[in-house]
Amino acid sequence: MSGPGDPPEGTPNGASGGGEDEYRSVVFDESFVRAARLQEFSADERLGEHHSPAVKTRHNWLRAGGSRQAILLVLLIVLAFGTAVYMGVRHPYKVPETSRAQPLRSAVVPLAPTGTVPGATPRDLFAHSPAADFRIGAAGVNMPAVQRTEHFSDGQIVSALSIAKDYIVRSSLDPATLTGGSVRPVRLLLDTAQLDQFDRSLAHPDDDGRYAATGWLTRFDPERTELADRDVRVDGTLSARESSPDALDVVADYTFVYAVRPTKDALRADPADQAAGKVTPGAASLFTVRRELHFRLDRDDLNDHRLEVLQSSLQAGPLACSSKPADALRPLLAGQRAGVDRPSGTDPYSRSRANPSLCGELAATSQPSPSHPIR
């Protein structure tokens, strides 16, 4: 019989079976190892129940860290945006706002001849006048040399000059405009902020410096005057300069010479013609207009092919000093005289009229001396 400490198959060969062997309790043979029941404990079981974990358990309020970070990011963005807005309002170097279009200011000055208006054929009149060497029509509106500015390129300046040239051609050379026809081509070139003033000037013209139709364009009274030659003689200058980082100023100074003659019903339609003298039958005469125009074009105008007409100064003759050319021009025709009439008096204390009545004298050298005048 085996002892209490012996393995099931007995003691190993050659081993003592007595209890006096001090190493007997720690010596295992192969059969004991095979028969032993192995059990592997978990990590927590091996550490024991009194072991404290190295990492503390995160509480629920810490698990919302992602949401708090998002809220903090939003607050930072709001704070940065508010600071930017505040600095923009308080910044002393704000970008200047684009100025609105200004209303047109115009002046029309009649030029009265000292003698009888000479009459002849258009060809003879032009050949013996200061306009003999003028170019014809749009060819006379010459484009100047262009040099870029600080804020505008060469192309932008050329565009501004081209728009101004279009306006000059449509308002002073187009036969339809000159004879009381459609003014739509002129209107299309105006800044939209000036359209109301333009429409009122054409519908209800007034010689007040703001609503004269002749401040916008050259137009003859179609009931008494017609073109004797469609080839208008033109000479003058066109220039551009930068008025601000966002706008260009264009100045046009041109002289236009027209050959005109009376309509068939001119004398019967206007008794004033009789007071000025009898018109020479079949004769044409020259009518001279000096137009000085000041345009402004901002960047939107350049893109839209439009412009603002800020100032218009018109000197025209031969005209009677008593004529009021607010709606149309009524030239003195061949054989007529200006007479001794003068413009109506002007009250310097009244501010109801921005444009006082003026009249100038048309120099004799401005009139043609035809070799074969028609009598």
Side-chain angles (χ1 to χ4, degrees):
M1 183 175 179
S2 301
D6 295 334
E9 284 93 5
T11 58
N13 295 328
S16 174
E20 68 277 359
D21 189 353
E22 58 178 338
Y23 298 104
R24 183 179 180 182
S25 61
V26 294
V27 175
F28 306 103
D29 62 5
E30 183 178 357
S31 61
F32 180 87
V33 172
R34 291 197 190 102
R37 181 170 177 261
L38 300 177
Q39 181 178 1
E40 184 178 358
F41 295 97
S42 67
D44 288 338
E45 288 174 332
R46 290 196 301 269
L47 292 174
E49 62 177 336
H50 299 293
H51 172 70
S52 298
V55 179
K56 294 184 178 180
T57 303
R58 299 182 65 178
H59 297 283
N60 291 335
W61 66 274
L62 287 176
R63 294 174 184 172
S67 300
R68 289 202 312 279
Q69 290 178 357
I71 295 174
L72 181 60
L73 180 61
V74 171
L75 290 177
L76 289 175
I77 293 174
V78 172
L79 180 61
F81 179 77
T83 304
V85 172
Y86 175 79
M87 293 301 294
V89 173
R90 300 282 295 179
H91 202 286
Y93 303 106
K94 294 189 295 182
V95 177
E97 298 181 359
T98 303
S99 60
R100 297 184 58 185
Q102 301 178 21
L104 167 68
R105 310 294 294 183
S106 64
V108 181
V109 179
L111 300 178
T114 55
T116 302
V117 177
T121 63
R123 182 175 181 178
D124 197 22
L125 290 169
F126 282 126
H128 295 84
S129 75
D133 296 328
F134 286 8
R135 294 186 177 183
I136 297 175
V141 187
N142 53 317
M143 298 286 286
V146 172
Q147 184 176 3
R148 65 168 299 148
T149 64
E150 182 178 358
H151 299 96
F152 290 90
S153 66
D154 297 352
Q156 289 173 316
I157 297 175
V158 169
S159 178
L161 292 170
S162 298
I163 298 171
K165 178 176 179 176
D166 286 348
Y167 184 88
I168 294 169
V169 171
R170 295 184 188 184
S171 65
S172 299
L173 298 175
D174 186 354
T177 302
L178 296 174
T179 56
S182 174
V183 297
R184 179 175 172 79
V186 179
R187 191 178 189 274
L188 289 175
L189 288 174
L190 292 175
D191 187 286
T192 54
Q194 290 189 318
L195 293 181
D196 289 342
Q197 185 186 11
F198 177 81
D199 293 340
R200 177 176 169 180
S201 300
L202 272 294
H204 306 287
D206 191 357
D207 186 25
D208 62 353
R210 298 188 65 180
Y211 296 104
T214 49
W216 299 95
L217 47 82
T218 302
R219 181 168 68 172
F220 298 107
D221 183 355
E223 295 183 358
R224 68 181 305 274
T225 308
E226 64 183 17
L227 294 175
D229 189 344
R230 288 176 173 257
D231 292 337
V232 182
R233 272 52 174 184
V234 184
D235 186 64
T237 60
L238 192 64
S239 62
R241 69 176 183 86
E242 181 180 312
S243 60
S244 74
D246 296 313
L248 289 169
D249 280 5
V250 178
V251 177
D253 185 357
Y254 281 91
T255 299
F256 305 88
V257 185
Y258 307 89
V260 298
R261 62 190 174 200
T263 61
K264 294 180 180 179
D265 299 330
L267 295 180
R268 287 177 293 177
D270 192 353
D273 286 339
Q274 299 292 343
K278 192 172 183 180
V279 176
T280 304
S285 60
L286 295 187
F287 187 79
T288 304
V289 173
R290 169 84 176 271
R291 292 190 77 189
E292 297 179 60
L293 297 166
H294 180 190
F295 306 108
R296 178 161 296 165
L297 301 92
D298 58 25
R299 298 185 186 276
D300 290 336
D301 291 329
L302 293 176
N303 294 331
D304 298 338
H305 201 79
R306 294 177 180 269
L307 49 70
E308 303 170 32
V309 188
L310 300 183
Q311 293 180 341
S312 172
S313 177
L314 185 77
Q315 301 177 38
L319 286 172
C321 286
S322 59
S323 65
K324 298 184 181 298
D327 57 339
L329 301 171
R330 298 174 179 82
L332 292 171
L333 301 170
Q336 293 187 310
R337 303 175 65 91
V340 294
D341 61 333
R342 290 292 180 267
S344 58
T346 301
D347 182 3
Y349 295 95
S350 174
R351 298 187 181 276
S352 60
R353 296 175 60 85
N355 178 31
S357 298
L358 299 172
C359 185
E361 180 179 304
L362 185 64
T365 55
S366 299
Q367 292 291 299
S369 302
S371 56
H372 302 287
I374 298 176
R375 300 184 183 277

